């Protein structure tokens, strides 16, 4: 069993990005600048955004964090987005999701200029991705592709079962794995909450991407020997033995699944850190493309 170490791989990628930033600076070119908008005080979102801003500092990017109160109106948020769209110093920006219920998430996603949409969530980028055209790939699926590539996990002709059809992970992952690309060229099944006989499917899978958000859902009896497991889940589960009062649980029951796995991502330290590294990579790309 080989651990797909997202922590180490993301560190390697950040070193590569830092080197590119150094070169940009030597050549007198612009320093990449990422902005993030956070609405409200959701604990997990605050943690993610803080990690993204810290990662910018580490690789030599400029960063701007815009924190807005929970009760911010949709109009005010759209106004902030427009300011970032028009600010030439900002190469890319993200609006951390989920948003408070009174804000229309789709409207917000569509307000971001696609050339600055380093999350790859805008319909223009999603459409371009589906058509194999150059675009910003959503960071989590992009990070998974990068992990599979760097660990040389064979995907061509393999059966990939993606569990979960979210716009951020499951849906794009299913499209990307079916495309002709290094980590891709696979036969893909996308399963979700209405799928019948899920276990029949997962038992046939060479690669499983678990992205449904139910802690420890995938158990050892549901997978075949030699499977590759990508665990996208990261749920806070109450744990009185921890100082924080919680632990992070993946969608995979690691103890029973890992002994049957050829490759497996841990939680934490698997997909999570890769997401941040690929967001930085998209921001570097946005900066380099904006001449
Ligand atoms: N919420 C969970 N994942 C993400 C992400 O990749 N980007 C943004 N903006 N919000 C998220």
């Amino acid at each position: 069993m080989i651990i797909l170490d997202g922590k180490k791989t993301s560190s390697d990628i950040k070193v590569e990005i830092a080197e590119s930033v150094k070169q940009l600076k030597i050549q007198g070119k612009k320093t990449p600048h990422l902005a993030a908008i956070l609405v409200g005080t959701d604990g997990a979102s605050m943690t993610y955004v803080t990690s993204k801003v810290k990662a910018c500092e580490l690789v030599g990017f400029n960063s701007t964090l815009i924190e807005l109160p929970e009760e911010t109106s949709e109009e005010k948020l759209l106004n902030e987005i427009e300011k970032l769209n028009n600010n030439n110093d900002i190469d890319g920006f993200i609006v951390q999701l989920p948003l408070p219920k009174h804000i229309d998430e789709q409207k917000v996603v569509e307000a971001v200029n696609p050339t600055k949409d380093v999350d790859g969530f805008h319909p223009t980028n999603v459409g371009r991705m589906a058509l194999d055209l150059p675009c910003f790939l959503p960071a989590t699926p992009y990070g998974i592709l990068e992990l599979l590539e760097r660990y040389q996990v064979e995907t061509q002709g393999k059966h990939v079962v993606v569990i979960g059809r979210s716009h951020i992970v499951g849906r794009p992952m299913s499209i990307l794995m079916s495309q002709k690309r290094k980590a891709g060229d696979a036969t893909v099944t996308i399963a979700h909450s209405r799928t019948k006989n899920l276990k029949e499917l997962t038992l046939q899978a060479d690669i499983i991407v678990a992205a449904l958000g139910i802690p420890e859902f995938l158990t050892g009896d549901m997978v075949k020997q030699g499977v590759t497991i990508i665990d996208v889940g990261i749920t806070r589960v109450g744990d009185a033995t921890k100082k924080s009062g919680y632990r992070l649980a993946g969608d995979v029951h690691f103890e029973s699944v890992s002994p049957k796995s050829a490759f497996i991502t841990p939680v934490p330290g698997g997909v999570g850190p890769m997401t941040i590294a690929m967001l930085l990579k998209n921001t570097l790309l946005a900066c380099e493309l904006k001449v």
Side-chain angles (χ1 to χ4, degrees):
M1 183 257 294
I2 294 171
I3 296 279
L4 296 170
D5 187 343
K7 200 166 166 203
K8 163 151 195 326
T9 309
S10 69
S11 289
D12 294 346
I13 294 169
K14 283 189 249 180
V15 168
E16 293 161 19
I17 295 172
E19 184 53 38
S20 300
V21 175
K22 217 163 99 190
Q23 290 306 320
L24 286 177
K25 287 181 182 174
I26 288 169
Q27 293 163 24
K29 295 197 174 140
K30 187 182 176 306
T31 300
H33 189 166
L34 174 73
I37 302 180
L38 173 66
V39 186
T41 54
D42 174 73
S45 289
M46 283 169 77
T47 306
Y48 296 146
V49 172
T50 307
S51 303
K52 289 172 185 178
V53 170
K54 266 202 197 136
C56 284
E57 281 166 26
L58 194 78
V59 298
F61 285 7
N62 292 328
S63 63
T64 298
L65 172 59
I66 300 170
E67 290 177 276
L68 301 172
E70 180 82 17
E71 61 276 12
T72 301
S73 69
E74 186 179 286
E75 192 190 356
K76 161 90 174 131
L77 177 57
L78 292 172
N79 198 24
E80 288 294 329
I81 290 171
E82 203 44 36
K83 278 197 246 168
L84 293 177
N85 282 339
N86 295 326
N87 182 342
N88 268 334
D89 195 56
I90 303 287
D91 300 296
F93 67 97
I94 63 157
V95 182
Q96 188 66 28
L97 304 178
L99 290 166
K101 292 212 167 19
H102 65 276
I103 298 175
D104 181 343
E105 216 157 84
Q106 193 56 30
K107 220 168 166 179
V108 167
V109 166
E110 292 192 32
V112 177
N113 184 325
T115 65
K116 294 192 177 189
D117 169 38
V118 285
D119 256 334
F121 292 170
H122 191 283
T124 296
N125 281 315
V126 179
R128 291 182 67 87
M129 175 197 69
L131 295 168
D132 305 293
L133 295 169
C135 64
F136 294 116
L137 293 181
T140 301
Y142 191 10
I144 295 170
L145 296 183
E146 198 71 23
L147 261 186
L148 292 171
E149 254 185 55
R150 290 189 185 226
Y151 278 87
Q152 296 178 331
V153 176
E154 185 61 61
T155 60
Q156 192 177 52
K158 301 291 184 192
H159 184 197
V160 177
V161 172
V162 178
I163 315 174
R165 56 183 159 185
S166 75
H167 291 170
I168 295 183
V169 184
R171 186 78 54 81
M173 204 59 222
S174 68
I175 295 169
L176 291 163
M177 291 306 294
S178 73
Q179 289 174 329
K180 246 190 203 316
R181 56 171 69 241
K182 210 161 176 195
D185 241 349
T187 304
V188 180
T189 300
I190 181 156
H192 46 78
S193 54
R194 299 284 176 220
T195 298
K196 293 198 174 84
N197 307 323
L198 178 64
K199 188 172 166 181
E200 264 176 37
L201 293 171
T202 55
L203 277 170
Q204 292 171 35
D206 300 306
I207 300 169
I208 300 174
V209 179
L212 70 162
I214 302 177
E216 290 159 1
F217 175 85
L218 191 79
T219 45
D221 59 309
M222 296 171 77
V223 306
K224 71 176 181 186
Q225 195 68 38
V227 70
T228 290
I229 299 288
I230 305 292
D231 188 351
V232 186
I234 184 154
T235 309
R236 290 181 174 194
V237 177
D239 185 340
T241 68
K242 301 272 186 226
K243 215 168 118 192
S244 60
Y246 68 84
R247 67 181 174 92
L248 295 175
D251 288 351
V252 175
H253 186 257
F254 192 87
E255 285 68 29
S256 60
V257 173
S258 59
K260 295 175 92 174
S261 306
F263 298 92
I264 185 164
T265 62
V267 175
V271 174
M274 292 301 293
T275 298
I276 297 182
M278 303 326 278
L279 174 68
L280 298 176
K281 201 151 180 169
N282 276 345
T283 307
L284 179 64
L285 181 69
C287 180
E288 288 173 338
L289 289 176
K290 203 183 70 177
V291 185

